[in-house]
Amino acid sequence: MEPAPPRPLQLSHAQRRGMLSRHFVAVVEKLVEGGATYADLSVEAIIKAGGISRSTFYVYFNDKGDLLVAMAADVIGDLVSTGSAWWDLPADATKADLHAGLRIPIDTYREHRTILGTVVETAAYDPRVREQHQSLINQVVPALADYIARAQVAGTADPELDAERTARWLVWMIERGLYQLVGTVDDDEVSRELDALTDILWRVVYRRTAD
């Protein structure tokens, strides 16, 4: 018999903050998709749409920048975990495997594109959000570099690549591409962008030219 989930009174401050941030992801996405920008949203507008009191909001968040940091932690965590669909592939993965692996984080990005786009835009002037955004890169680059290095040892990746620097360039390229090219396009265009990204990565990383 599995233990019962903790009652609300048993939740820690961090757990409650996490629950509220996840609640606000959908709230803020709806507001921004309705035409507002996060920079122009007031705390009052956010908490009214979220259905909580002002006092409750300030128990868990210092301001709306702090809320965005908390929401970013959730969606970035989702993106990082789904990104492993690429670097968890076996060294002898096919081009079709790579295509399928890349589809997963792209779909996750599209699901959370409003929050992730807001993170990119807010990072330009809020150091807290910029640090959270940088954490995405810091988590992904070592994992991808390790994958490239392992594939080099296995003989399926270009042995002349600098694994760490190649991973760094690829991750930043993909991050910018998701924001600029994938976030607002329709399903057909996403498929074409995915095909192009697969071609690029296949030619850059892998020694093989055949599927």
Side-chain angles (χ1 to χ4, degrees):
M1 181 176 179
E2 294 187 7
R7 296 192 299 268
L9 291 178
Q10 296 175 307
L11 296 176
S12 68
H13 183 277
Q15 288 173 318
R16 288 172 177 269
R17 175 182 162 96
M19 289 175 63
L20 275 175
S21 71
R22 285 188 290 275
H23 167 69
F24 275 115
V25 166
V27 172
V28 170
E29 285 177 342
K30 185 174 181 179
L31 290 171
V32 173
E33 288 166 4
T37 66
Y38 195 75
D40 292 335
L41 285 175
S42 65
V43 169
E44 191 63 36
I46 293 171
I47 62 177
K48 181 178 179 181
I52 70 165
S53 68
R54 190 177 186 87
S55 59
T56 298
F57 178 89
Y58 282 110
V59 167
Y60 297 101
F61 308 104
N62 296 328
D63 51 31
K64 69 177 187 179
D66 190 33
L67 171 62
L68 183 57
V69 168
M71 292 189 296
D74 279 336
V75 296
I76 286 173
D78 287 348
L79 191 58
V80 169
S81 64
T82 57
S84 67
W86 175 15
W87 53 81
D88 284 346
L89 288 172
D92 61 349
T94 66
K95 188 177 179 182
D97 293 332
L98 176 61
H99 187 278
L102 294 170
R103 164 63 75 176
I104 299 171
I106 284 178
D107 286 345
T108 300
Y109 183 90
R110 294 186 75 206
E111 180 183 355
H112 295 304
R113 63 185 178 271
T114 301
I115 294 296
L116 289 166
T118 298
V119 168
V120 171
E121 293 158 8
T122 308
Y125 59 83
D126 191 319
R128 296 167 300 177
V129 179
R130 184 161 57 249
E131 181 180 355
Q132 192 73 291
H133 181 233
Q134 184 66 48
S135 76
L136 169 62
I137 306 302
N138 292 342
Q139 291 176 68
V140 171
V141 168
L144 180 54
D146 180 66
Y147 172 74
I148 293 172
R150 285 186 284 112
Q152 287 174 314
V153 171
T156 57
D158 185 341
E160 296 184 1
L161 290 176
D162 180 323
E164 182 177 350
R165 288 179 175 81
T166 299
R168 196 180 305 151
W169 274 99
L170 291 178
V171 169
W172 277 111
M173 178 193 75
I174 293 169
E175 189 274 343
R176 290 289 88 186
L178 289 172
Y179 177 67
Q180 295 286 350
L181 304 174
V182 171
T184 60
V185 298
D186 60 25
D187 291 346
D188 288 341
E189 181 58 25
V190 168
S191 293
R192 289 189 285 268
E193 296 290 355
L194 174 58
D195 291 343
L197 177 60
T198 303
D199 286 339
I200 291 168
L201 297 181
W202 188 254
R203 285 167 171 75
V204 168
V205 174
Y206 299 91
R207 296 183 62 172
R208 296 160 297 174
T209 57
D211 293 351

